[in-house]
Amino acid sequence: MKFVKKPSALAVAAALGWPGLWHAACAQDAANAPVMGEVVVKATRIDDKEPFAASRLDAVGVAPYRAASSDSARLLDRLPGISLYGAGGVSSLPAIHGLADDRIRIKVDGMDLISSCANHMNPPLSYIDPTNVGSVTLFAGITPVSVGGDSIAGTIQVNSAAPVFARAGEGLLLTGQAGAFYRSNGDGRGANLSATVANEVLSVTYTGSTAQANNYTAGGNFKPAGPSVGTSEWLAGNEVGSSQYKSKNQSLDFALRYAEHLLELKFGYQHIPYQGFPNERMDMTLNDSHQVNFRYLGQYGWGSLEARAYYNDTRHKMNFLDDKLTLASPAGMPMDTEGKTTGVVLKADIRASDRDLFRVGGEYQKYHLDDWWPAIGPYVPPMGMGMGMAMAGMSMNMMNGSTFWNINDGKRDRFDVFGEWEARWSGQWLSQLGLRSSTVWMDTGDVQGYNPVDYGNPANPNSIPGAFNAADRSRTDHNIDLTALLRFTPDAQQTYEAGFARKTRSPNLYERYAWSTNNTMTMTMINWFGDGNGYVGNLDLKPEIANTISATASWHDAAREQWGFNITPYYTYVQDYIDARRCSGGAMMSPCDRNNVTATTGFVNLQFVNQSARLYGADISGYFPLLQGGALGNVKVTGVVSYVRGKNLDTDDNLYHIMPLNAKLALVQRSGSWTNTVEGVFVDAKTRVSEVRNELETSGYGLLNLRSSYEWKQLRVDVGVENLFNRFYDSPLGGAYLGQRPMVYGTAVPGMGRSIYAGMNLRF
């Protein structure tokens, strides 16, 4: 990376706080320095600058999809190896080769963000709006240790646009963009604005966006029309309850550049007043997040140095939105969470010779979580009940009494160091070896239930919270990651990669410390899987260790612009995979009784456990020209085909939420300022399901999408239709439908029906 060199100390001082001196220096420099005209450089991409095992989307690749969705995770949906767990309208959870959520290291502008919610309603990608995404990089499977730790699936890096500075002699730069969109399905609408004021040294940028939508509709009726039971909300037969949302994001970015050094300071704020979740028993009723992100990047004769410090404070609340809130219980079930993440990163790229490049670095992350559920009224001891009935959870005021502490003073701190050696042995051979050491410290404070009759005295070791409080809850994990990659480039039209990775992930706070097994209600509050089941943690969980081998063969034209074909097979064995088993040993009417163990339908209650798992599959992608020039312009065909198979080797059960065989094929026509796309999405039936979770099967389907964009000077217009024929289908990773009452087992969350959208963006 090279920055424009401006050898004026006076200008730097002026940019930091003395505007009068800055203008004087700027005028003097402008008068004395010649101005270079615009130079356009075209060259073939250098292979050894491409990261190993990576797929990329730049601003041009992201632009066609911004108007179609307010969920940044959906920008990745067309990359090989990616599938999406259904969730809220701005909070989908990406999966890489069948491994999702915390098993992926997700960096947003370099920050490792953590979902602070028992239902993972605020995943990292929900903190950046699609209109603010400048680039996306996906490392699927074999991930270099320099870009990912504490994860076993891969790494996703999402960055906002790089800071913009004025060119030499240009003076003050004023630039920005404004946009808006509308989507017919769910009456989705939103707007975005960014504005930059910059000179050659200092750049200040404001970005803001807002998006909201009502409940979306499926391609046909999947339930009877009528009011949600116990509420006054009328829902049509094709209306997907609890799928509405509203989101606002703002940021203020400062960047300072001098010679070959760059300083950035970003302040971010997110406000989500509500977001429904059709596959969860709860909805989001507030998510406020404050972020501070500082970065230094410098170029030196020996290489580059990058330092980052960041802080994120998230205040999150859950309850029932109108589709789930009953008239008989207007207070619902309030749940509060606060998560604080502090991180420091220091890393360097050291060019030791023309052959050898070393990457070294360290990270420290401190995470603190409190998760508490306020009582909805004072506790009143039951009258006329035997103690046995009360202790079985039959109290009529189970949520009355004291605050329920789900996670109290939870801590998950991590310290990593890594080293990576990349060597170019010749013009054809490139290798990479990496080693990463990670230490994870976890602990939590004492907990308590709503009231002593239902949950037991938290000081009594014979009660459920008392046994948890009496246990040694402190845990320290020492994890080692190792990667080895080799690339062979025999000529400009073929590239081959192969590698091995040993990756480790420690459990999250909920997997280890969620404690309540007293009743199904409290257990079902722990669920980021969208299956309607209840979960409880396990203090004895070990870190997951994944061993992956993968290879990629790539054939393409020399410039990688006309045609390309890639195939990537992979195999992963996971030792101590964190899966789930039915909880057992409870008395009659307990959440863990015999019926819970033997049920083949309905919702069940489970405990996280270590088992072993195997995943394998392949990704195929390519693009080829059909027409070049002529009346139709340039026409090419693109495609992505993915298959993954996951199995629990201890139980012989299928792993949960594995995407069936799927393909996306498209015809893309470009002529002048127009780009038109016809896309087909094809998904096989999902018949291999997780029996322990009573996962629902889904049928296969095909969808047709149309997109068109027009660019004229500073204006871009996007229009399109998704699911053109309004096809009804169940989303294979959408989970169980819990969007309205009664929340009964047996219905999958359907995908969205026809949606016509339009978006406009104006640069100025």
Side-chain angles (χ1 to χ4, degrees):
M1 177 183 245
K2 290 285 186 181
F3 303 117
V4 175
K5 193 168 185 178
K6 186 73 175 176
S8 173
L10 180 62
V12 177
L16 287 171
W18 301 335
L21 291 178
W22 161 251
H23 288 301
C26 183
Q28 181 180 356
D29 289 340
N32 297 334
V35 178
M36 187 176 185
E38 182 176 347
V39 177
V40 178
V41 178
K42 293 185 178 180
T44 301
R45 191 182 322 195
I46 302 173
D47 283 340
D48 64 359
K49 297 299 182 184
E50 288 297 296
F52 278 103
S55 302
R56 284 179 165 178
L57 287 175
D58 57 13
V60 175
V62 168
Y65 309 108
R66 287 174 172 151
S69 176
S70 296
D71 184 356
S72 291
R74 297 202 172 275
L75 298 176
L76 289 83
D77 193 31
R78 289 155 184 86
L79 293 176
I82 283 284
S83 54
L84 299 174
Y85 278 36
V90 298
S91 298
S92 292
L93 301 172
I96 299 175
H97 296 162
L99 300 170
D101 204 9
D102 284 344
R103 294 185 170 110
I104 303 173
R105 176 58 49 230
I106 301 178
K107 295 177 179 286
V108 178
D109 280 332
M111 298 181 292
D112 277 333
L113 301 179
I114 297 175
S115 185
S116 296
C117 171
N119 296 159
H120 286 198
M121 292 180 175
N122 44 22
L125 291 179
S126 68
Y127 287 102
I128 184 169
D129 188 82
T131 59
N132 196 30
V133 172
S135 65
V136 176
T137 303
L138 166 67
F139 295 85
I142 307 294
T143 304
V145 297
S146 58
V147 297
D150 196 30
S151 59
I152 63 172
T155 295
I156 297 171
Q157 297 175 336
V158 175
N159 294 304
S160 53
V164 177
F165 295 90
R167 292 187 296 237
E170 186 179 16
L172 192 66
L173 173 67
L174 300 174
T175 186
Q177 58 181 344
F181 69 84
Y182 178 78
R183 306 179 195 118
S184 64
N185 198 320
D187 193 27
R189 64 272 190 201
N192 62 280
L193 171 69
S194 69
T196 297
V197 180
N199 52 40
E200 297 174 47
V201 176
L202 180 66
S203 176
V204 181
T205 300
Y206 167 82
T207 60
S209 61
T210 180
Q212 68 181 95
N214 302 326
N215 289 340
Y216 73 83
T217 56
N221 294 336
F222 64 100
K223 56 185 173 58
S228 180
V229 174
T231 78
S232 60
E233 296 301 303
W234 179 279
L235 298 178
N238 65 343
E239 183 176 349
V240 179
S242 299
S243 58
Q244 70 271 49
Y245 63 88
K246 185 174 184 178
S247 174
K248 297 180 179 180
N249 292 276
Q250 298 184 81
S251 69
L252 185 61
D253 307 343
F254 299 88
L256 181 66
R257 178 183 68 174
Y258 179 71
E260 296 182 337
H261 305 276
L262 177 69
L263 293 173
E264 292 182 86
L265 180 62
K266 298 185 177 184
F267 298 93
Y269 171 67
Q270 180 186 78
H271 174 61
I272 300 181
Y274 60 86
Q275 182 179 189
F277 285 76
N279 61 356
E280 297 287 355
R281 297 179 185 272
M282 305 300 295
D283 298 310
M284 178 189 291
T285 55
L286 177 71
N287 200 85
D288 279 349
S289 172
H290 297 82
Q291 298 175 357
V292 180
N293 188 6
F294 171 80
R295 179 197 186 207
Y296 164 76
L297 179 63
Q299 293 287 332
Y300 298 87
W302 48 263
S304 64
L305 178 68
E306 182 176 5
R308 185 183 301 275
Y310 60 91
Y311 175 76
N312 178 72
D313 187 349
T314 295
R315 186 73 169 84
H316 173 72
K317 293 187 177 184
M318 291 189 292
N319 208 323
F320 307 122
L321 295 179
D322 289 343
D323 295 341
K324 297 173 183 171
L325 185 63
T326 64
L327 298 174
S329 180
M333 185 179 177
M335 301 172 66
D336 286 20
T337 307
E338 183 171 19
K340 297 180 180 180
T341 307
T342 304
V344 179
V345 181
L346 180 65
K347 56 185 178 180
D349 289 5
I350 304 171
R351 177 65 68 179
S353 67
D354 291 340
R355 186 193 70 181
D356 301 314
L357 172 65
F358 294 94
R359 299 184 181 95
V360 295
E363 300 181 27
Y364 176 71
Q365 184 185 69
K366 183 178 180 63
Y367 179 62
H368 182 270
L369 176 71
D370 284 319
D371 187 336
W372 70 100
W373 310 347
I376 62 175
Y379 173 66
V380 179
M383 301 297 294
M385 283 188 180
M387 182 57 70
M389 181 175 291
M391 292 302 294
M394 297 299 292
S395 169
M396 301 303 292
N397 54 9
M398 186 163 41
M399 292 184 293
N400 292 347
S402 303
T403 297
F404 185 107
W405 278 98
N406 189 34
I407 301 287
N408 178 27
D409 194 25
K411 300 180 181 69
R412 191 183 191 276
D413 301 338
R414 178 170 58 88
F415 176 68
D416 292 18
V417 292
F418 67 84
E420 195 170 82
W421 172 38
E422 187 169 293
R424 172 160 288 286
W425 301 97
S426 68
Q428 295 178 322
W429 290 98
L430 184 69
S431 66
Q432 186 184 92
L433 290 173
L435 181 67
R436 187 182 189 107
S437 172
S438 177
T439 303
V440 180
W441 299 275
M442 296 176 64
D443 202 355
T444 186
D446 289 349
V447 298
Q448 67 179 23
Y450 285 111
N451 58 69
V453 171
D454 287 311
Y455 297 89
N457 187 335
N460 183 352
N462 294 320
S463 69
I464 295 174
F468 180 86
N469 293 339
D472 179 9
R473 301 182 297 276
S474 177
R475 297 290 186 273
T476 301
D477 299 327
H478 300 286
N479 303 328
I480 296 294
D481 287 0
L482 171 68
T483 59
L485 288 151
L486 185 66
R487 175 185 291 166
F488 175 54
T489 310
D491 55 50
Q493 293 188 320
Q494 16 179 358
T495 305
Y496 303 94
E497 290 183 5
F500 165 80
R502 180 191 192 271
K503 292 289 187 176
T504 312
R505 178 189 78 97
S506 288
N508 64 40
L509 287 172
Y510 291 103
E511 287 169 329
R512 266 190 171 148
Y513 296 131
W515 59 272
S516 178
T517 57
N518 182 70
N519 58 74
T520 295
M521 180 198 71
T522 56
M523 293 187 72
T524 54
M525 298 301 102
I526 311 298
N527 186 316
W528 53 91
F529 307 99
D531 58 8
N533 297 318
Y535 290 83
V536 65
N538 186 341
L539 287 172
D540 296 325
L541 285 180
K542 301 175 183 177
E544 298 177 320
I545 302 174
N547 295 278
T548 299
I549 55 174
S550 179
T552 298
S554 176
W555 298 274
H556 45 77
D557 67 287
R560 300 195 183 197
E561 295 177 353
Q562 299 300 317
W563 65 273
F565 180 81
N566 305 283
I567 181 169
T568 302
Y570 56 87
Y571 177 92
T572 297
Y573 169 74
V574 187
Q575 174 186 340
D576 292 321
Y577 180 83
I578 299 177
D579 208 334
R581 68 183 174 199
R582 305 276 179 93
C583 64
S584 61
M588 185 179 297
M589 302 186 69
S590 163
C592 301
D593 62 10
R594 179 178 297 178
N595 291 333
N596 181 69
V597 176
T598 59
T600 57
T601 62
F603 301 119
V604 293
N605 296 303
L606 306 112
Q607 182 179 32
F608 296 112
V609 292
N610 288 121
Q611 294 171 327
S612 57
R614 178 188 65 204
L615 301 101
Y616 61 87
D619 301 318
I620 301 173
S621 62
Y623 54 98
F624 303 94
L626 292 182
L627 296 174
Q628 296 283 351
L632 292 177
N634 297 328
V635 180
K636 69 177 180 180
V637 59
T638 69
V640 177
V641 180
S642 295
Y643 172 78
V644 60
R645 177 83 168 93
K647 178 172 268 192
N648 186 311
L649 298 179
D650 288 2
T651 64
D652 203 38
D653 195 6
N654 298 300
L655 296 186
Y656 177 65
H657 255 16
I658 298 295
M659 186 70 178
L661 176 67
N662 62 96
K664 299 179 183 68
L665 304 175
L667 283 174
V668 182
Q669 182 241 353
R670 289 187 172 90
S671 179
S673 298
W674 286 97
T675 300
N676 304 300
T677 303
V678 180
E679 179 185 65
V681 179
F682 308 95
V683 179
D684 197 8
K686 183 177 178 63
T687 57
R688 291 171 171 159
V689 294
S690 171
E691 294 181 2
V692 70
R693 288 177 165 90
N694 287 343
E695 184 181 7
L696 298 171
E697 296 185 357
T698 59
S699 301
Y701 61 90
L703 307 175
L704 185 65
N705 304 322
L706 304 178
R707 287 191 297 277
S708 185
S709 66
Y710 178 78
E711 293 188 81
W712 180 73
K713 295 183 178 181
Q714 283 76 42
L715 178 67
R716 178 187 175 96
V717 177
D718 289 277
V719 296
V721 184
E722 294 198 317
N723 194 358
L724 176 66
F725 297 115
N726 201 32
R727 173 76 184 272
F728 177 83
Y729 66 99
D730 291 328
S731 175
L733 304 187
Y737 181 61
L738 303 169
Q740 64 189 88
R741 296 184 184 276
M743 300 179 189
V744 295
Y745 174 85
T747 302
V749 175
M752 184 177 290
R754 182 188 300 115
S755 182
I756 303 171
Y757 67 85
M760 181 181 68
N761 196 75
L762 177 65
R763 300 187 303 274
F764 55 85

